[in-house]
Amino acid sequence: MTRPIFAFAIAIYLMASAWASSSWAQSSDGQDCLVEEAEYLSLDFWTFDQDPVLGWRSLLSVPGCQLAAADLVAKYHRALRDRGQPVIVDHPQGKHTLSEDGEIFLLYWHEGQLRAFEGQTQRAIELFRKSIKPDANDHFGWNEYALASVAFLESDIEELKRQRDLLAPKDGGTKINLGVVDGLIACFGQSYANAYGSRECNRRPTE
């Protein structure tokens, strides 16, 4: 009897290992979101964050999986911080050290947006605040953009407009972030998902 019990124990171990390497979450419309965590967590930062097919954005192709994507971003970011090593992005123009210790402001932002889209407002506010950069690293009015988004989530129209005015002269080139903030003002009181994403609200340049 020992051998069948041993074989059964091995089978249970293998099933548990497979389960540990993946994460299941229920989507908002009843579908299952399957995340092969080991594959995602092994990606370099740029692929994980920017690649629409290989990175966390691939989950957005499954309706209702935004919170699963948010959890994946959180796990990836936690792994980077736990390692505490520099995160280097290799662009055609050369290598750039994005972080010295694994903490990346943009990952706080992306997780926060995903949670804001799904109505996890308080957690989104906390993450948006964590995305605020030291003054020396703040370019093109990022901090004003983040604080304007916080003001929207906190239903503070006066602060939202104040941050918009501070952002306007700093948002260079495309004015994309300024267009987002103008949309938050135009659709103040609506959900973040609608104010950010709908054509009726968002004032981002189309070209």
Side-chain angles (χ1 to χ4, degrees):
M1 296 296 293
T2 303
R3 184 171 297 174
I5 293 174
F6 178 74
F8 179 75
I10 291 294
I12 292 296
Y13 172 79
L14 293 175
M15 290 173 63
S17 297
W19 183 276
S21 68
S22 302
S23 174
W24 281 262
Q26 195 75 23
S27 71
S28 59
D29 58 358
Q31 298 188 61
D32 287 330
C33 304
L34 173 61
V35 180
E36 295 293 344
E37 290 183 1
E39 295 181 12
Y40 284 103
L41 297 180
S42 68
L43 295 172
D44 65 273
F45 165 75
W46 194 252
T47 302
F48 175 81
D49 192 61
Q50 298 295 319
D51 193 299
V53 176
L54 299 177
W56 66 263
R57 298 168 194 268
S58 63
L59 289 183
L60 303 185
S61 64
V62 183
C65 287
Q66 291 200 100
L67 287 182
D71 291 342
L72 179 61
V73 172
K75 289 178 181 179
Y76 183 89
H77 197 188
R78 187 180 307 117
L80 288 183
R81 298 196 306 273
D82 287 347
R83 285 198 293 270
Q85 298 173 354
V87 177
I88 300 173
V89 177
D90 193 358
H91 292 296
Q93 297 82 3
K95 292 185 178 181
H96 170 67
T97 300
L98 194 66
S99 169
E100 294 289 349
D101 57 5
E103 185 167 30
I104 298 177
F105 299 104
L106 192 58
L107 289 178
Y108 285 128
W109 176 260
H110 285 156
E111 183 192 348
Q113 277 199 310
L114 290 165
R115 298 196 184 283
F117 289 144
E118 291 297 308
Q120 293 188 349
T121 303
Q122 190 54 48
R123 181 56 180 151
I125 289 171
E126 294 169 2
L127 289 162
F128 281 176
R129 290 192 180 280
K130 285 186 175 183
S131 80
I132 294 172
K133 304 176 182 180
D135 290 342
N137 297 331
D138 182 23
H139 306 292
F140 306 112
W142 174 265
N143 287 348
E144 288 79 8
Y145 174 53
L147 289 171
S149 302
V150 168
F152 175 86
L153 294 178
E154 291 182 336
S155 300
D156 188 341
I157 187 62
E158 295 305 321
E159 179 64 10
L160 173 55
K161 290 179 177 178
R162 190 179 80 85
Q163 292 297 336
R164 189 269 176 206
D165 290 341
L166 292 173
L167 170 63
K170 298 181 180 181
D171 191 15
T174 62
K175 303 291 184 182
I176 290 177
N177 289 346
L178 184 62
V180 172
V181 172
D182 284 341
L184 298 181
I185 293 172
C187 292
F188 186 78
Q190 298 186 30
S191 69
Y192 179 80
N194 192 64
Y196 179 91
S198 72
R199 293 182 179 180
E200 293 78 12
C201 298
N202 202 302
R203 298 328 195 230
R204 285 176 295 184
T206 56
E207 296 182 359

